[in-house]
Amino acid sequence: MLTLIERVKEKINKKLEPEQLTLIDNSILHAKHKSFHKSKFHLKLTIKSEKLKNMSRIEAHKKIFSLLKEEMKDEIHALEIEIE
């Protein structure tokens, strides 16, 4: 069974074919926040992608969020995106 991190990486790699992808679980950094829940993740995505670079920042973020809409609903509380 794939972990959330593995599933997210697999989805993004399959659909966007980025040159490079790093996904970090930063949930521990948010553990003291009022809205923190241990079953929801705070992730940081750093992605090197010419496809995304050629889009506006809003379009690129929408593309990523649409790919991960199921995960965002149930498993991801926050997703920080950095496009290189």
Side-chain angles (χ1 to χ4, degrees):
M1 181 178 220
L2 295 175
T3 66
L4 172 67
I5 302 285
E6 292 167 333
R7 281 187 288 130
V8 168
K9 281 183 174 181
E10 189 175 273
K11 259 188 182 181
I12 292 172
N13 280 321
K14 185 177 180 181
K15 297 290 186 182
L16 297 177
E17 301 173 336
E19 289 78 40
Q20 189 174 349
L21 171 80
T22 305
L23 192 61
I24 301 169
D25 179 3
N26 280 335
S27 300
I28 194 76
L29 301 175
H30 302 272
K32 294 186 180 188
H33 290 183
K34 189 176 184 179
S35 63
F36 179 79
H37 193 281
K38 64 182 178 179
S39 68
K40 297 257 187 165
F41 290 82
H42 289 72
L43 302 177
K44 178 178 182 182
L45 170 66
T46 304
I47 186 168
K48 183 175 183 179
S49 168
E50 285 304 313
K51 285 181 188 178
L52 294 176
K53 265 205 119 109
N54 291 328
M55 298 178 181
S56 73
R57 186 173 182 207
I58 292 171
E59 287 174 333
H61 282 229
K62 281 183 179 180
K63 181 75 172 172
I64 293 168
F65 280 110
S66 72
L67 288 174
L68 302 175
K69 86 177 146 188
E70 289 302 313
E71 291 81 2
M72 292 299 297
K73 223 185 322 181
D74 301 322
E75 299 170 279
I76 300 173
H77 174 75
L79 179 63
E80 179 184 350
I81 302 170
E82 186 178 313
I83 301 170
E84 300 178 338

